[in-house]
Amino acid sequence: ALGALTDDPARPFVAILGGAKVSDKIGVIENLLTLVDAVLLGGGMANTFLLAEGKAVGDSLVEEDLIDTANDVISKAQNSGVELLLPVDVVAAHGLDGEAATVDADAIPDDWAAFDIGP
């Protein structure tokens, strides 16, 4: 099944990736850019990409040491004609036990953290 996806995929070919850490998936993301038409990123790893785009991510989980790498991936996607889609809204909260709300992905309050994609 995986061979068919990499050798002769049906189009459009879209990959959806989530999880907490970019560092665990950066190689996968870069390899997918040579195969897919679009990559959708969610979960905690999207925060690093949102920050790389200059968006306010509050206290969200971010891998600061991978911001340059995220910018490189964004550039590679653009140069390859691959759509790299990040959340436009997120479910954020004031601490793990605090108030939660859906907010724009570029307007996460300073003392809040994004935990997942919004609706």
Side-chain angles (χ1 to χ4, degrees):
L2 288 176
L5 287 174
T6 57
D7 295 338
D8 188 26
R11 300 288 177 179
F13 186 11
V14 178
I16 303 170
L17 297 170
K21 295 172 19 179
V22 174
S23 55
D24 291 342
K25 297 165 193 78
I26 196 66
V28 172
I29 296 169
E30 290 181 322
N31 285 330
L32 284 170
L33 294 179
T34 65
L35 300 171
V36 301
D37 300 301
V39 176
L40 287 66
L41 297 181
M45 81 161 121
N47 301 331
T48 300
F49 283 84
L50 291 168
L51 185 60
E53 289 187 337
K55 297 184 174 152
V57 296
D59 282 338
S60 302
L61 172 68
V62 171
E63 290 182 90
E64 299 264 350
D65 58 325
L66 292 178
I67 291 173
D68 288 340
T69 302
N71 276 319
D72 289 343
V73 169
I74 292 167
S75 293
K76 287 178 187 176
Q78 289 171 340
N79 293 337
S80 300
V82 174
E83 213 174 348
L84 181 67
L85 298 170
L86 299 172
V88 295
D89 58 6
V90 297
V91 176
H94 185 247
L96 290 175
D97 297 325
E99 175 188 1
T102 299
V103 299
D104 288 342
D106 60 353
I108 301 166
D110 288 341
D111 54 349
W112 287 47
F115 290 97
D116 209 345
I117 62 172

